[in-house]
Amino acid sequence: MSDDKKLTSRGDNFSEWYNELVLRSELADYSPVRGCMVIRPHGYGIWERMQRALDDMFKATGHVNAYFPLFIPESFLSKEAEHVEGFAPECAVVTMGGGKVLEERLVIRPTSETIIYSMFAKWVQSYRDLPLLYNQWANVVRWEMRTRLFLRTMEFLWQEGHTAHATHDEAEVEARKMLGVYREFMEGHMAMPVITGLKTDSERFAGALRTYCCEAMMQDNKALQAGTSHNLGQNFAKAFDLSFQNEQGEQAFAWNTSWGVSTRMIGGLVMTHGDDAGLRLPPRLTPIQVVIVPIWKTDDERDATIAVAKRIAEELGSFKRPDHERIRVHVDDRVGIKPGAKYYHWELRGIPLRLEIGPRDLASQSGMLARRDTREKRAIAFDVLRAELPEILDQIQADMLTAARARLEANSIRQRISYDEFKNVMEGPGGFVYAGWNGDPAIEQRVKEETKATIRCIPDPEFRSPIAPTTCMVTGEPAKHEVIWARAY
RNA sequence: CGGGGCGUAGCGUAGCCCGGUAUCGCGCCUGCUUUGGGAGCAGGAGGUCGCCGGUUCGAAUCCGGCCGCCCCGACCA
């Protein structure tokens, strides 16, 4: 057994652990194009589960899917001043087509506000046409300097919601509602607790009135912005003449929101739950929930255990079952590979449950069930699998969230600390520091330069400290907000 | 775009300083024996040493240029 079978440990080098794990668990691979990655079936399977769950939630909140083009006329980008300033530097631009120089260059969408609101403008005349509640599943391209698998790639997959409303307040409700949807998805499906809140101006989306976000804490105590929701105000409506006649018969500009989450969440999943043995996937998002490993000595035993394994898999996972009763089972019937090697294989890939079935188990009509998250192992009778597995999977899902939440709390600092102590925290263990801020962007900038930490958000009320800080951590002046400081991805 | 590192079989590497046709491990193929925590033995396949040029009788090795990747910064979902 050689050392290259062991994963770099999180403690030794977190960043190397992450890269190695993503590659070795076959979530993704580097591609021939710089900064772009190939999402392999195991990774894409997670994305498909994410899409399905989120899409259901979007539909249940009244949204519809549509699709807008990948190419955006370059002139569209520049119609909203702040937006063009924010995105122009990172745009890929098509200058040639069909062997000819294009009359107007085409930007490959970095985000679709401009093209979508230009179309909304055609479709909206009256307040009766509002609201428009659209979503699209798409790829976008941003010319990033430095890329990392899932966390920042030049092309990534995401969903972008785009809505238009008659009033500011309606748009505000929508932006907050979708932030809540994200939070519920991240906690309920990813088992990843998040802090929701408002971005400061420096971190606000280019062209938005207000940006709300979900911030998660990774195991190296750095923050990951996992989702954003923007109240765009009337900025884009004015740029694209998205106007309507209101009940009073006056022309008015619509109010827009946009909101998105991306394949970056897969990186968050890895860094939230992974351990030194590999991935740990939450039952709701894992492509395979239970892997069955048949064990044998003789050919007869091989045939018998594989037959039983397949029968169980068929019974639990049949497509004839309604979706919510179906368990995603895989039988690892590869010959010539010892059971132990299979255990390592599936542990690396994060499959929540493993069922071992050997000759002894056939006799007793039971198997050994091992949990990936806790590594507990116990016997379970075949005839209770169908009844008990869903409960066990739910338990794993819940336990993973509890564990992640405990880690988030353990690495959050709420007691008042001095700026010097803060610097030590950021140089050392890191974490989320709740502290007062005087509201001055210059202070935010200075802290960033001195500590690499940024204000992740002004947390929503339910995340704030019982006793609000009264003074700014840096200047000692009266605090305008309680904010969360952390280094971020 | 600045700093650092690295490109040798599918993967990871030795060799490079000191020039003579490439080492080892994993993986892969065949056979036999194995299989309840990473199997053993035997045999075998697989290489334009990132690319281009130079020096030399001879270059993975020395020199010049280029390309790519990773890490750390600046910038960003």
Side-chain angles (χ1 to χ4, degrees):
Chain A
M1 191 187 330
S2 65
D3 280 340
D4 63 50
K5 289 191 172 175
K6 288 203 196 81
L7 204 56
T8 299
S9 75
R10 289 163 295 175
D12 282 353
N13 185 339
F14 191 79
S15 153
E16 207 170 305
W17 166 83
Y18 174 81
N19 284 333
E20 234 180 274
L21 180 49
V22 168
L23 294 171
R24 287 173 56 174
S25 64
E26 297 180 334
L27 293 180
D29 202 353
Y30 294 111
S31 80
V33 183
R34 178 189 83 84
C36 295
M37 67 173 183
V38 174
I39 305 176
R40 302 179 68 178
H42 195 42
Y44 201 80
I46 295 170
W47 180 239
E48 286 177 313
R49 303 294 313 173
M50 288 178 159
Q51 283 183 301
R52 229 209 260 198
L54 282 165
D55 202 63
D56 280 351
M57 293 166 99
F58 299 157
K59 301 279 170 58
T61 44
H63 300 85
V64 292
N65 282 336
Y67 187 78
F68 295 82
L70 169 72
F71 299 122
I72 299 177
E74 194 176 33
S75 59
F76 278 37
L77 259 291
S78 28
K79 284 191 179 170
E80 210 291 325
E82 211 179 308
H83 194 64
V84 66
E85 199 185 321
F87 280 103
E90 48 180 300
C91 281
V93 183
V94 179
T95 59
M96 297 276 295
K100 288 183 191 156
V101 174
L102 299 180
E103 257 177 61
E104 177 168 12
R105 307 200 296 174
L106 297 171
V107 170
I108 298 178
R109 62 179 166 220
T111 179
S112 303
E113 275 77 7
T114 56
I115 196 156
I116 291 182
Y117 300 138
S118 75
M119 294 307 296
F120 277 12
K122 278 176 74 173
W123 300 332
V124 172
Q125 277 91 44
S126 151
Y127 71 94
R128 296 181 206 277
D129 297 325
L130 296 172
L132 288 182
L133 304 175
Y134 277 45
N135 175 66
Q136 81 167 347
W137 292 96
N139 59 337
V140 286
V141 169
R142 299 179 188 179
W143 213 261
E144 299 290 349
M145 296 293 198
R146 199 178 140 204
T147 58
R148 296 203 57 189
L149 293 166
F150 288 114
L151 302 174
R152 177 164 296 103
T153 47
M154 296 217 306
E155 179 190 11
F156 57 93
L157 306 184
W158 76 346
Q159 70 47 229
E160 44 181 329
H162 293 277
T163 67
H165 306 264
T167 67
H168 166 274
D169 289 359
E170 239 185 80
E172 180 67 11
V173 167
E174 168 74 7
R176 297 292 327 198
K177 181 200 285 177
M178 299 322 287
L179 188 75
V181 165
Y182 287 157
R183 181 185 170 189
E184 230 176 283
F185 170 77
M186 288 169 195
E187 298 187 340
H189 287 75
M190 298 175 68
M192 181 175 82
V194 294
I195 310 290
T196 59
L198 177 69
K199 284 292 188 194
T200 61
D201 281 355
S202 70
E203 301 264 330
R204 190 170 39 82
F205 176 77
L209 213 55
R210 283 185 288 280
T211 290
Y212 300 103
C213 62
C214 294
E215 296 284 328
M217 186 193 284
M218 304 295 102
Q219 288 184 72
D220 59 354
N221 289 344
K222 284 168 76 173
L224 182 77
Q225 179 175 306
T228 50
S229 181
H230 317 288
N231 184 335
L232 300 173
Q234 294 176 303
N235 294 335
F236 287 93
K238 286 176 180 167
F240 290 93
D241 194 23
L242 169 47
S243 61
F244 64 98
Q245 200 166 21
N246 64 21
E247 283 181 79
Q248 289 76 43
E250 307 153 345
Q251 280 299 119
F253 288 112
W255 299 78
N256 295 114
T257 80
S258 69
W259 27 275
V261 293
S262 71
T263 38
R264 174 182 248 200
M265 289 191 295
I266 296 173
L269 202 61
V270 173
M271 291 194 291
T272 296
H273 300 301
D275 66 17
D276 290 347
L279 300 176
R280 294 192 306 169
L281 297 177
R284 286 189 165 182
L285 294 180
T286 181
I288 298 170
Q289 294 172 310
V290 183
V291 62
I292 304 182
V293 178
I295 299 162
W296 62 81
K297 281 199 199 328
T298 67
D299 287 358
D300 285 349
E301 286 170 351
R302 182 193 64 209
D303 293 346
T305 53
I306 289 179
V308 169
K310 286 192 167 161
R311 203 200 68 222
I312 291 172
E314 165 61 24
E315 191 194 327
L316 296 172
S318 169
F319 65 82
K320 291 173 185 161
R321 261 176 203 296
D323 192 58
H324 63 279
E325 286 180 17
R326 197 182 308 147
I327 296 173
R328 300 187 289 281
V329 189
H330 174 76
V331 178
D332 188 350
D333 59 359
R334 291 176 293 172
V335 296
I337 297 176
K338 296 183 72 164
K342 293 182 181 178
Y343 301 166
Y344 283 102
H345 178 92
W346 295 109
E347 280 168 4
L348 177 65
R349 286 159 181 76
I351 308 309
L353 285 173
R354 177 181 74 237
L355 182 63
E356 306 165 13
I357 301 179
R360 292 202 297 270
D361 303 312
L362 292 190
S364 64
Q365 284 295 293
S366 67
M368 290 301 292
L369 188 70
R371 273 176 68 155
R372 174 64 182 88
D373 63 328
T374 59
R375 304 204 160 224
E376 287 164 346
K377 221 167 142 170
R378 67 168 175 101
I380 185 165
F382 291 156
D383 59 14
V384 301
L385 282 172
R386 189 174 154 183
E388 289 190 18
L389 282 180
E391 290 169 28
I392 295 169
L393 289 166
D394 284 349
Q395 191 60 51
I396 293 172
Q397 183 81 37
D399 289 352
M400 288 178 75
L401 177 60
T402 303
R405 187 164 271 149
R407 182 173 55 74
L408 169 62
E409 280 313 311
N411 295 291
S412 295
I413 295 175
R414 285 180 185 272
Q415 70 270 26
R416 205 131 326 163
I417 64 172
S418 71
Y419 186 42
D420 281 339
E421 290 168 318
F422 174 81
K423 285 180 184 167
N424 290 333
V425 170
M426 288 303 144
E427 271 309 309
F432 286 8
V433 174
Y434 291 71
W437 175 50
N438 67 359
D440 181 0
I443 293 300
E444 199 180 1
Q445 184 58 31
R446 186 185 132 198
V447 172
K448 185 176 180 179
E449 280 160 16
E450 292 177 353
T451 69
K452 293 181 206 159
T454 51
I455 295 178
R456 300 321 303 157
C457 67
I458 300 163
D460 288 336
E462 64 261 49
F463 298 103
R464 289 180 201 155
S465 304
I467 303 161
T470 53
T471 57
C472 175
M473 175 181 73
V474 182
T475 65
E477 293 165 12
K480 246 189 199 162
H481 308 283
E482 177 175 28
V483 297
I484 296 174
W485 293 96
R487 286 187 181 172
Y489 275 95

